Amino acid sequence: MTVLLEPEVSTLCSQACQRFAASAIELRKSDDIFGQRTSSSTFPTARQLDSVYGLFADEDLSTLLTGFIDQAKAMAMLFEAAGGLIEAQDEALAAALTKAAEEPAGLQSVGLIHGTGDEGFILDDQCVMAGYGRVGHEDVSASPLEYIAKCSEALQPQQYLDIQTKATSVADGLSDAATTLQGELNSVLGHGWQGEFAERATFSTRGLIQSAHDLSESLRQVADKAAGAHHGFEATRISIAEYAAQGRSAELRATMANSVQGPVVGEAATVSVRAAAERQAAEEQARAIVNTTYSPSVMDANLDDIDFTSAYRVVSGAALGGPSGIDMDRIWNTDDLPRPAPAATPSAAAIAAYASIAPGEASGAGAAGGAGAAGTGVVGTAVGAMPSVDAATEQALLASRGDSGAAALAGPGGAAGTGGAGAGGAGGVNAATTA
Protein backbone atom coordinates (compact mmCIF):
# COMPACT_ATOMS: atom_id res chain seq x y z
CA MET A 1 0.00 0.00 0.00
CA THR A 2 1.23 3.48 -0.87
CA VAL A 3 1.65 5.75 2.12
CA LEU A 4 -0.09 9.00 1.20
CA LEU A 5 0.62 10.90 4.43
CA GLU A 6 3.21 10.75 7.14
CA PRO A 7 1.89 8.67 10.07
CA GLU A 8 2.25 11.62 12.46
CA VAL A 9 0.28 13.91 10.14
CA SER A 10 -2.30 11.19 9.64
CA THR A 11 -2.77 10.75 13.39
CA LEU A 12 -3.19 14.47 14.03
CA CYS A 13 -5.77 14.83 11.26
CA SER A 14 -7.69 11.78 12.41
CA GLN A 15 -7.80 13.01 16.00
CA ALA A 16 -9.09 16.41 14.87
CA CYS A 17 -11.93 14.73 12.98
CA GLN A 18 -12.74 12.51 15.96
CA ARG A 19 -12.97 15.54 18.23
CA PHE A 20 -15.36 17.21 15.79
CA ALA A 21 -17.51 14.06 15.73
CA ALA A 22 -17.50 13.92 19.53
CA SER A 23 -18.67 17.54 19.70
CA ALA A 24 -21.53 16.80 17.30
CA ILE A 25 -22.50 13.72 19.33
CA GLU A 26 -22.70 15.87 22.45
CA LEU A 27 -24.86 18.43 20.64
CA ARG A 28 -27.15 15.66 19.40
CA LYS A 29 -28.22 14.65 22.89
CA SER A 30 -31.97 15.15 23.14
CA ASP A 31 -33.51 17.38 25.79
CA ASP A 32 -37.04 16.14 25.00
CA ILE A 33 -38.14 19.74 24.51
CA PHE A 34 -41.48 18.79 23.03
CA GLY A 35 -42.13 15.83 25.31
CA GLN A 36 -45.44 17.39 26.36
CA ARG A 37 -47.51 18.13 23.30
CA THR A 38 -49.73 21.17 23.03
CA SER A 39 -53.13 20.59 24.60
CA SER A 40 -55.97 19.60 22.30
CA SER A 41 -57.93 22.48 23.85
CA THR A 42 -55.85 25.14 22.15
CA PHE A 43 -56.09 26.70 18.68
CA PRO A 44 -55.76 24.24 15.75
CA THR A 45 -52.96 26.35 14.27
CA ALA A 46 -51.04 26.10 17.55
CA ARG A 47 -51.23 22.31 17.34
CA GLN A 48 -50.06 22.41 13.74
CA LEU A 49 -47.10 24.65 14.55
CA ASP A 50 -46.29 22.40 17.48
CA SER A 51 -46.21 19.41 15.11
CA VAL A 52 -43.70 21.14 12.83
CA TYR A 53 -41.43 22.30 15.65
CA GLY A 54 -41.83 19.01 17.51
CA LEU A 55 -40.59 17.06 14.48
CA PHE A 56 -37.70 19.45 13.99
CA ALA A 57 -36.60 19.44 17.64
CA ASP A 58 -37.11 15.74 18.30
CA GLU A 59 -36.17 14.14 14.99
CA ASP A 60 -34.69 16.46 12.39
CA LEU A 61 -32.06 18.18 14.49
CA SER A 62 -30.69 14.77 15.43
CA THR A 63 -30.77 13.71 11.76
CA LEU A 64 -28.83 16.78 10.67
CA LEU A 65 -26.16 16.31 13.33
CA THR A 66 -25.90 12.59 12.57
CA GLY A 67 -24.92 13.52 9.03
CA PHE A 68 -21.97 15.56 10.30
CA ILE A 69 -20.98 12.77 12.68
CA ASP A 70 -20.91 10.19 9.87
CA GLN A 71 -18.86 12.45 7.63
CA ALA A 72 -16.34 13.26 10.36
CA LYS A 73 -15.92 9.59 11.26
CA ALA A 74 -15.33 8.72 7.61
CA MET A 75 -12.74 11.51 7.40
CA ALA A 76 -10.94 10.19 10.47
CA MET A 77 -10.68 6.70 9.00
CA LEU A 78 -9.54 8.08 5.65
CA PHE A 79 -6.67 9.94 7.27
CA GLU A 80 -5.70 6.79 9.16
CA ALA A 81 -5.73 4.76 5.95
CA ALA A 82 -3.67 7.42 4.19
CA GLY A 83 -1.02 7.17 6.90
CA GLY A 84 -0.92 3.40 6.84
CA LEU A 85 -2.53 3.07 10.26
CA ILE A 86 -5.28 0.84 8.90
CA GLU A 87 -5.59 -1.11 5.66
CA ALA A 88 -7.18 0.81 2.81
CA GLN A 89 -9.41 -2.17 2.01
CA ASP A 90 -10.51 -2.71 5.61
CA GLU A 91 -14.19 -3.68 5.82
CA ALA A 92 -14.89 -1.16 8.59
CA LEU A 93 -13.38 1.61 6.46
CA ALA A 94 -15.40 0.55 3.44
CA ALA A 95 -18.60 0.53 5.49
CA ALA A 96 -17.91 4.01 6.90
CA LEU A 97 -17.11 5.44 3.47
CA THR A 98 -20.17 3.85 1.89
CA LYS A 99 -22.36 5.39 4.58
CA ALA A 100 -20.73 8.79 4.11
CA ALA A 101 -21.32 8.66 0.36
CA GLU A 102 -25.06 8.03 0.73
CA GLU A 103 -27.70 10.66 0.07
CA PRO A 104 -28.43 12.68 3.21
CA ALA A 105 -31.42 11.63 5.26
CA GLY A 106 -34.54 13.71 4.78
CA LEU A 107 -36.24 15.93 7.33
CA GLN A 108 -39.73 15.10 8.53
CA SER A 109 -40.62 18.69 9.37
CA VAL A 110 -39.71 19.76 5.82
CA GLY A 111 -41.82 16.89 4.52
CA LEU A 112 -44.73 18.02 6.66
CA ILE A 113 -44.41 21.59 5.42
CA HIS A 114 -43.94 20.87 1.73
CA GLY A 115 -46.15 17.79 1.62
CA THR A 116 -49.31 19.77 2.27
CA GLY A 117 -50.08 20.78 -1.28
CA ASP A 118 -52.91 19.67 -3.50
CA GLU A 119 -52.16 15.98 -3.19
CA GLY A 120 -51.86 16.02 0.60
CA PHE A 121 -50.86 13.07 2.76
CA ILE A 122 -52.37 9.62 2.78
CA LEU A 123 -53.04 8.11 6.21
CA ASP A 124 -54.81 4.75 6.50
CA ASP A 125 -55.90 5.04 2.86
CA GLN A 126 -57.50 8.40 3.58
CA CYS A 127 -56.33 11.84 2.49
CA VAL A 128 -56.30 13.68 5.79
CA MET A 129 -54.81 17.00 4.83
CA ALA A 130 -54.08 19.13 1.81
CA GLY A 131 -53.72 22.72 0.82
CA TYR A 132 -52.26 24.13 4.04
CA GLY A 133 -48.71 24.96 2.99
CA ARG A 134 -47.98 27.40 5.80
CA VAL A 135 -49.47 27.35 9.27
CA GLY A 136 -51.65 30.39 10.02
CA HIS A 137 -54.01 32.42 10.40
CA GLU A 138 -56.51 31.44 13.11
CA ASP A 139 -60.07 32.30 12.08
CA VAL A 140 -62.09 33.24 15.17
CA SER A 141 -64.55 35.56 13.45
CA ALA A 142 -67.46 33.35 14.58
CA SER A 143 -65.96 32.05 17.85
CA PRO A 144 -67.35 33.04 21.25
CA LEU A 145 -65.22 34.61 23.95
CA GLU A 146 -65.24 31.42 26.03
CA TYR A 147 -63.68 29.40 23.23
CA ILE A 148 -61.01 32.03 22.51
CA ALA A 149 -60.15 32.25 26.21
CA LYS A 150 -59.92 28.47 26.56
CA CYS A 151 -57.65 28.15 23.52
CA SER A 152 -55.34 30.96 24.55
CA GLU A 153 -55.04 29.64 28.09
CA ALA A 154 -53.93 26.26 26.69
CA LEU A 155 -51.05 27.77 24.69
CA GLN A 156 -47.59 26.65 25.81
CA PRO A 157 -45.13 29.43 24.97
CA GLN A 158 -42.42 27.92 27.17
CA GLN A 159 -41.83 25.20 24.58
CA TYR A 160 -40.73 27.79 22.06
CA LEU A 161 -38.43 29.46 24.56
CA ASP A 162 -36.84 26.04 25.09
CA ILE A 163 -36.41 25.46 21.36
CA GLN A 164 -34.85 28.92 21.04
CA THR A 165 -32.30 27.99 23.69
CA LYS A 166 -31.62 24.60 22.12
CA ALA A 167 -31.27 25.92 18.57
CA THR A 168 -28.92 28.69 19.71
CA SER A 169 -26.81 26.26 21.72
CA VAL A 170 -26.46 23.81 18.83
CA ALA A 171 -25.74 26.61 16.36
CA ASP A 172 -22.94 28.01 18.52
CA GLY A 173 -21.52 24.58 19.36
CA LEU A 174 -21.50 23.38 15.76
CA SER A 175 -19.94 26.59 14.49
CA ASP A 176 -17.23 26.48 17.17
CA ALA A 177 -16.47 22.81 16.43
CA ALA A 178 -16.21 23.54 12.70
CA THR A 179 -13.88 26.49 13.30
CA THR A 180 -11.71 24.34 15.57
CA LEU A 181 -11.56 21.54 13.00
CA GLN A 182 -10.57 23.96 10.26
CA GLY A 183 -7.79 25.42 12.40
CA GLU A 184 -6.42 22.04 13.42
CA LEU A 185 -6.38 20.65 9.88
CA ASN A 186 -4.89 23.82 8.44
CA SER A 187 -2.07 23.70 10.96
CA VAL A 188 -1.16 20.23 9.72
CA LEU A 189 -2.08 20.23 6.04
CA GLY A 190 -1.48 23.86 5.23
CA HIS A 191 2.29 23.78 4.79
CA GLY A 192 3.40 23.39 1.22
CA TRP A 193 2.64 20.55 -1.17
CA GLN A 194 1.91 17.30 0.64
CA GLY A 195 0.54 15.33 -2.26
CA GLU A 196 -2.71 15.01 -4.15
CA PHE A 197 -4.44 13.24 -1.27
CA ALA A 198 -3.74 16.14 1.13
CA GLU A 199 -4.84 18.70 -1.44
CA ARG A 200 -8.13 16.91 -2.09
CA ALA A 201 -8.65 16.39 1.63
CA THR A 202 -8.24 20.12 2.25
CA PHE A 203 -10.76 20.97 -0.44
CA SER A 204 -13.33 18.42 0.70
CA THR A 205 -13.09 19.16 4.42
CA ARG A 206 -13.61 22.84 3.67
CA GLY A 207 -16.93 21.84 2.16
CA LEU A 208 -17.91 20.03 5.36
CA ILE A 209 -16.84 22.97 7.50
CA GLN A 210 -18.78 25.44 5.34
CA SER A 211 -21.90 23.29 5.52
CA ALA A 212 -21.61 23.27 9.30
CA HIS A 213 -21.48 27.07 9.36
CA ASP A 214 -24.44 27.23 6.97
CA LEU A 215 -26.51 24.97 9.20
CA SER A 216 -25.55 27.08 12.21
CA GLU A 217 -26.98 30.15 10.50
CA SER A 218 -30.20 28.27 9.74
CA LEU A 219 -30.49 27.21 13.36
CA ARG A 220 -30.11 30.81 14.47
CA GLN A 221 -33.04 31.66 12.22
CA VAL A 222 -35.02 28.91 13.95
CA ALA A 223 -34.09 30.42 17.30
CA ASP A 224 -35.32 33.84 16.17
CA LYS A 225 -38.60 32.41 14.91
CA ALA A 226 -39.11 30.40 18.09
CA ALA A 227 -38.47 33.54 20.15
CA GLY A 228 -41.15 35.36 18.15
CA ALA A 229 -43.61 32.52 18.71
CA HIS A 230 -42.89 32.54 22.43
CA HIS A 231 -43.40 36.28 22.66
CA GLY A 232 -46.59 36.22 20.60
CA PHE A 233 -48.11 33.27 22.47
CA GLU A 234 -47.30 34.79 25.86
CA ALA A 235 -48.74 38.17 24.88
CA THR A 236 -51.86 36.44 23.56
CA ARG A 237 -52.41 34.56 26.82
CA ILE A 238 -52.01 37.66 28.94
CA SER A 239 -54.15 39.94 26.80
CA ILE A 240 -57.02 37.55 26.21
CA ALA A 241 -57.08 36.60 29.90
CA GLU A 242 -57.79 40.26 30.67
CA TYR A 243 -60.64 40.49 28.19
CA ALA A 244 -62.04 37.13 29.34
CA ALA A 245 -62.12 38.46 32.90
CA GLN A 246 -63.89 41.61 31.68
CA GLY A 247 -66.42 39.47 29.82
CA ARG A 248 -67.13 37.29 32.85
CA SER A 249 -67.54 40.34 35.07
CA ALA A 250 -69.97 41.93 32.61
CA GLU A 251 -71.93 38.70 32.28
CA LEU A 252 -72.22 38.45 36.06
CA ARG A 253 -73.54 42.01 36.31
CA ALA A 254 -76.05 41.28 33.57
CA THR A 255 -77.24 38.15 35.39
CA MET A 256 -77.67 40.04 38.63
CA ALA A 257 -79.50 42.90 36.92
CA ASN A 258 -81.89 40.48 35.22
CA SER A 259 -82.81 38.98 38.58
CA VAL A 260 -83.89 42.33 40.03
CA GLN A 261 -87.63 42.80 40.63
CA GLY A 262 -89.74 45.68 41.87
CA PRO A 263 -89.66 49.42 41.23
CA VAL A 264 -85.99 49.46 40.13
CA VAL A 265 -86.51 47.03 37.27
CA GLY A 266 -86.11 49.82 34.67
CA GLU A 267 -82.72 50.80 36.04
CA ALA A 268 -81.70 47.12 36.19
CA ALA A 269 -82.59 46.73 32.53
CA THR A 270 -80.28 49.61 31.65
CA VAL A 271 -77.48 47.96 33.63
CA SER A 272 -78.14 44.68 31.85
CA VAL A 273 -77.91 46.30 28.42
CA ARG A 274 -74.66 48.04 29.31
CA ALA A 275 -73.19 44.83 30.72
CA ALA A 276 -74.09 42.93 27.55
CA ALA A 277 -72.43 45.61 25.45
CA GLU A 278 -69.30 45.42 27.60
CA ARG A 279 -69.17 41.65 27.18
CA GLN A 280 -69.56 41.98 23.43
CA ALA A 281 -66.77 44.56 23.37
CA ALA A 282 -64.50 42.22 25.35
CA GLU A 283 -65.22 39.43 22.85
CA GLU A 284 -64.37 41.64 19.89
CA GLN A 285 -61.15 42.77 21.56
CA ALA A 286 -60.18 39.13 22.17
CA ARG A 287 -60.72 38.42 18.46
CA ALA A 288 -58.57 41.41 17.62
CA ILE A 289 -55.77 40.01 19.82
CA VAL A 290 -55.91 36.75 17.87
CA ASN A 291 -55.73 38.66 14.58
CA THR A 292 -53.03 41.17 15.48
CA THR A 293 -50.85 39.24 17.94
CA TYR A 294 -51.39 35.50 17.78
CA SER A 295 -51.86 34.92 14.04
CA PRO A 296 -48.86 37.08 12.96
CA SER A 297 -46.63 35.26 15.45
CA VAL A 298 -47.73 31.90 14.04
CA MET A 299 -47.19 33.00 10.44
CA ASP A 300 -43.76 34.41 11.19
CA ALA A 301 -42.78 31.22 13.03
CA ASN A 302 -43.18 29.01 9.95
CA LEU A 303 -39.98 27.18 9.01
CA ASP A 304 -40.79 26.76 5.31
CA ASP A 305 -38.54 29.64 4.23
CA ILE A 306 -35.40 28.19 5.84
CA ASP A 307 -33.00 25.88 4.02
CA PHE A 308 -31.37 23.44 6.42
CA THR A 309 -28.00 22.55 4.93
CA SER A 310 -27.13 18.88 5.13
CA ALA A 311 -23.58 17.77 5.91
CA TYR A 312 -21.26 18.00 2.93
CA ARG A 313 -20.48 14.52 1.65
CA VAL A 314 -16.72 14.29 1.86
CA VAL A 315 -16.51 10.93 0.09
CA SER A 316 -16.78 10.47 -3.65
CA GLY A 317 -19.00 7.52 -4.44
CA ALA A 318 -17.14 6.97 -7.71
CA ALA A 319 -14.02 6.01 -5.78
CA LEU A 320 -15.72 3.20 -3.87
CA GLY A 321 -15.68 -0.41 -5.02
CA GLY A 322 -14.62 -1.56 -8.45
CA PRO A 323 -11.94 -4.11 -9.37
CA SER A 324 -9.21 -2.24 -7.50
CA GLY A 325 -11.28 -1.52 -4.39
CA ILE A 326 -11.07 1.92 -2.79
CA ASP A 327 -9.16 4.42 -4.88
CA MET A 328 -7.27 6.43 -2.25
CA ASP A 329 -6.14 8.99 -4.81
CA ARG A 330 -9.71 9.84 -5.82
CA ILE A 331 -11.61 9.16 -2.62
CA TRP A 332 -12.34 12.76 -1.66
CA ASN A 333 -15.44 14.48 -3.03
CA THR A 334 -14.28 17.65 -4.76
CA ASP A 335 -17.29 18.19 -7.03
CA ASP A 336 -20.38 18.38 -4.87
CA LEU A 337 -21.54 21.42 -2.91
CA PRO A 338 -23.42 21.81 0.38
CA ARG A 339 -27.13 21.67 -0.33
CA PRO A 340 -30.44 21.82 1.55
CA ALA A 341 -31.56 18.68 3.31
CA PRO A 342 -34.32 16.88 1.40
CA ALA A 343 -37.80 16.26 2.73
CA ALA A 344 -38.86 12.97 4.28
CA THR A 345 -42.38 11.68 4.75
CA PRO A 346 -43.36 12.31 8.38
CA SER A 347 -44.82 9.59 10.54
CA ALA A 348 -48.55 8.90 10.59
CA ALA A 349 -48.75 10.26 14.13
CA ALA A 350 -47.12 13.53 13.06
CA ILE A 351 -49.47 13.92 10.12
CA ALA A 352 -52.48 13.25 12.31
CA ALA A 353 -51.24 15.70 14.95
CA TYR A 354 -50.78 18.39 12.31
CA ALA A 355 -54.26 17.69 11.00
CA SER A 356 -55.62 18.04 14.57
CA ILE A 357 -56.93 14.47 14.77
CA ALA A 358 -55.93 11.37 16.69
CA PRO A 359 -53.69 8.90 14.81
CA GLY A 360 -56.48 6.31 14.65
CA GLU A 361 -59.19 8.69 13.51
CA ALA A 362 -58.00 9.60 10.03
CA SER A 363 -61.17 8.36 8.35
CA GLY A 364 -63.52 10.14 10.73
CA ALA A 365 -64.62 13.71 10.93
CA GLY A 366 -61.81 16.11 11.68
CA ALA A 367 -61.57 18.15 14.82
CA ALA A 368 -63.36 21.43 14.61
CA GLY A 369 -61.28 22.97 17.35
CA GLY A 370 -64.11 23.50 19.87
CA ALA A 371 -67.57 24.92 20.06
CA GLY A 372 -68.08 27.79 17.73
CA ALA A 373 -64.65 27.42 16.16
CA ALA A 374 -64.21 28.25 12.53
CA GLY A 375 -60.62 27.08 12.54
CA THR A 376 -58.60 24.77 10.33
CA GLY A 377 -60.06 21.39 11.27
CA VAL A 378 -59.95 18.39 8.97
CA VAL A 379 -63.18 17.12 7.50
CA GLY A 380 -63.79 13.58 6.31
CA THR A 381 -61.46 12.04 3.78
CA ALA A 382 -60.27 15.19 2.09
CA VAL A 383 -59.27 18.60 3.29
CA GLY A 384 -59.68 21.80 1.38
CA ALA A 385 -57.35 24.73 1.25
CA MET A 386 -56.71 26.86 4.28
CA PRO A 387 -59.45 29.46 4.79
CA SER A 388 -58.77 32.73 3.06
CA VAL A 389 -57.74 35.61 5.27
CA ASP A 390 -60.61 37.97 5.93
CA ALA A 391 -60.13 41.68 5.28
CA ALA A 392 -59.83 42.68 8.93
CA THR A 393 -57.22 40.02 9.61
CA GLU A 394 -55.19 41.04 6.58
CA GLN A 395 -55.24 44.68 7.68
CA ALA A 396 -54.34 43.69 11.22
CA LEU A 397 -51.44 41.57 10.01
CA LEU A 398 -50.06 44.38 7.89
CA ALA A 399 -50.47 46.88 10.69
CA SER A 400 -48.84 44.60 13.24
CA ARG A 401 -45.71 44.40 11.10
CA GLY A 402 -45.39 48.14 10.62
CA ASP A 403 -44.07 50.75 13.01
CA SER A 404 -47.55 51.75 14.07
CA GLY A 405 -48.39 48.13 14.87
CA ALA A 406 -45.24 47.28 16.79
CA ALA A 407 -47.14 47.61 20.04
CA ALA A 408 -49.27 44.64 19.07
CA LEU A 409 -46.83 42.31 20.82
CA ALA A 410 -46.34 44.50 23.84
CA GLY A 411 -48.93 42.77 26.01
CA PRO A 412 -52.39 43.62 27.30
CA GLY A 413 -54.05 46.31 25.27
CA GLY A 414 -51.13 46.50 22.88
CA ALA A 415 -52.97 44.98 19.97
CA ALA A 416 -56.29 46.69 20.38
CA GLY A 417 -57.75 49.66 22.12
CA THR A 418 -59.22 49.33 25.58
CA GLY A 419 -62.56 50.82 24.65
CA GLY A 420 -65.70 49.14 23.38
CA ALA A 421 -66.26 47.20 20.23
CA GLY A 422 -65.57 50.22 18.12
CA ALA A 423 -62.22 51.00 19.71
CA GLY A 424 -59.31 51.13 17.30
CA GLY A 425 -56.81 48.28 17.23
CA ALA A 426 -53.08 48.45 16.63
CA GLY A 427 -52.24 50.77 13.78
CA GLY A 428 -55.84 51.96 13.57
CA VAL A 429 -57.34 48.54 12.85
CA ASN A 430 -60.92 48.26 14.03
CA ALA A 431 -61.42 45.67 16.74
CA ALA A 432 -64.30 44.05 14.89
CA THR A 433 -63.04 41.02 13.01
CA THR A 434 -66.08 39.78 11.10
CA ALA A 435 -65.30 39.85 7.40
Side-chain angles (χ1 to χ4, degrees), residues 396-408:
L397 177 59
L398 293 175
S400 69
R401 290 176 174 172
D403 295 337
S404 60

Side-chain angles (χ1 to χ4, degrees), residues 163-395:
I163 194 67
Q164 177 198 7
T165 302
K166 178 65 174 180
T168 301
S169 174
V170 173
D172 293 343
L174 184 61
S175 180
D176 290 345
T179 300
T180 300
L181 176 62
Q182 183 175 26
E184 291 179 342
L185 292 181
N186 286 346
S187 65
V188 179
L189 299 177
H191 302 288
W193 172 255
Q194 293 172 282
E196 186 177 358
F197 180 90
E199 183 181 55
R200 287 176 171 268
T202 300
F203 182 93
S204 194
T205 53
R206 283 175 181 169
L208 180 68
I209 291 166
Q210 182 58 51
S211 66
H213 287 305
D214 291 343
L215 179 59
S216 295
E217 288 302 315
S218 298
L219 293 178
R220 292 188 179 94
Q221 294 180 52
V222 173
D224 292 341
K225 287 177 176 288
H230 167 262
H231 188 69
F233 283 22
E234 188 67 27
T236 298
R237 291 181 63 184
I238 295 173
S239 300
I240 291 182
E242 275 197 3
Y243 292 122
Q246 293 177 16
R248 288 191 295 268
S249 177
E251 188 171 0
L252 179 61
R253 292 200 306 274
T255 301
M256 295 177 61
N258 290 334
S259 65
V260 172
Q261 299 179 357
V264 295
V265 67
E267 180 179 347
T270 301
V271 172
S272 177
V273 171
R274 290 177 178 174
E278 289 180 12
R279 186 196 179 285
Q280 179 64 26
E283 184 173 282
E284 295 295 345
Q285 295 290 0
R287 290 172 179 164
I289 291 295
V290 173
N291 282 344
T292 60
T293 301
Y294 171 76
S295 287
S297 68
V298 171
M299 295 177 188
D300 291 341
N302 276 279
L303 301 179
D304 65 329
D305 56 350
I306 300 178
D307 285 336
F308 297 102
T309 305
S310 59
Y312 179 89
R313 289 185 292 171
V314 299
V315 176
S316 172
L320 300 178
S324 58
I326 299 173
D327 184 354
M328 292 298 293
D329 290 328
R330 297 291 185 271
I331 192 65
W332 295 104
N333 177 17
T334 59
D335 299 324
D336 202 3
L337 297 173
R339 53 193 174 137
T345 302
S347 64
I351 297 172
Y354 184 94
S356 304
I357 59 176
E361 299 175 355
S363 60
T376 55
V378 179
V379 180
T381 60
V383 180
M386 184 170 63
S388 59
V389 179
D390 60 75
T393 300
E394 185 174 0
Q395 294 175 12

Side-chain angles (χ1 to χ4, degrees), residues 59-135:
E59 303 289 343
D60 293 345
L61 192 55
S62 176
T63 297
L64 289 166
L65 292 173
T66 297
F68 284 92
I69 294 168
D70 291 341
Q71 298 300 324
K73 288 182 176 179
M75 286 171 55
M77 297 188 74
L78 269 178
F79 281 119
E80 292 181 10
L85 304 180
I86 61 174
E87 289 295 328
Q89 310 305 327
D90 184 272
E91 292 184 1
L93 172 61
L97 298 184
T98 300
K99 188 175 184 180
E102 293 175 352
E103 286 287 332
L107 305 185
Q108 291 190 50
S109 61
V110 177
L112 189 62
I113 294 168
H114 294 291
T116 52
D118 295 335
E119 296 181 358
F121 280 117
I122 303 299
L123 179 63
D124 295 335
D125 298 325
Q126 304 293 334
C127 178
V128 299
M129 56 188 295
Y132 281 93
R134 291 171 58 87
V135 180

